[in-house]
Amino acid sequence: QVQLVESGGGLVQPGGSLRLSCAASGSIFNYVMGWYRQAPGKQRGLVASIVSGGSTWYADSVKGRFTISRDNAKKTMFLQMNSLKPEDTAVYYCHTVPPRWDWGQGTQVTVSS
């Protein structure tokens, strides 16, 4: 079991940027990692993923605005979010793809003027 801790969320105006971080308690080298989000009243869904070698995938809703990255040596992962929209408001979680362990607390992102 690896513990995952997300941070970096907050309140930002439309068009703004945030950088989310994910710290793992153990090695993530062998895993596909991803960022998920859950908006109020909606199911949690994957928005971006990255394999150990660096290849990435993005949901259409965030493509061109979000950038996922990872540092296997430091057991960390990041999500750079630019040009944020109100519909990006959600709790963001990092996890393996597919999920293997307990979920962390997530980090709240609110996009509002």
Side-chain angles (χ1 to χ4, degrees):
Q1 177 86 345
V2 172
Q3 306 297 321
L4 299 165
V5 179
E6 304 90 349
S7 62
L11 172 63
V12 62
Q13 293 186 341
S17 298
L18 284 173
R19 187 181 192 231
L20 306 185
S21 299
C22 172
S25 64
S27 175
I28 59 172
F29 179 80
N30 291 319
Y31 300 103
V32 178
M33 298 298 296
W35 284 97
Y36 299 76
R37 69 185 181 187
Q38 185 169 22
K42 296 187 177 181
Q43 288 190 328
R44 184 157 40 201
L46 183 67
V47 296
S49 66
I50 183 168
V51 302
S52 189
S55 295
T56 57
W57 169 90
Y58 297 95
D60 287 344
S61 58
V62 306
K63 198 173 295 183
R65 301 186 298 121
F66 290 11
T67 303
I68 189 171
S69 60
R70 65 191 289 168
D71 186 330
N72 292 326
K74 295 183 178 179
K75 298 178 288 184
T76 54
M77 186 174 65
F78 305 96
L79 186 68
Q80 178 66 44
M81 305 187 296
N82 298 328
S83 302
L84 283 162
K85 304 175 180 180
E87 51 262 43
D88 295 317
T89 295
V91 179
Y92 285 71
Y93 302 87
C94 64
H95 215 301
T96 55
V97 181
R100 295 175 176 265
W101 311 303
D102 293 341
W103 290 91
Q105 295 296 309
T107 186
Q108 175 72 48
V109 172
T110 303
V111 185
S112 175
S113 54

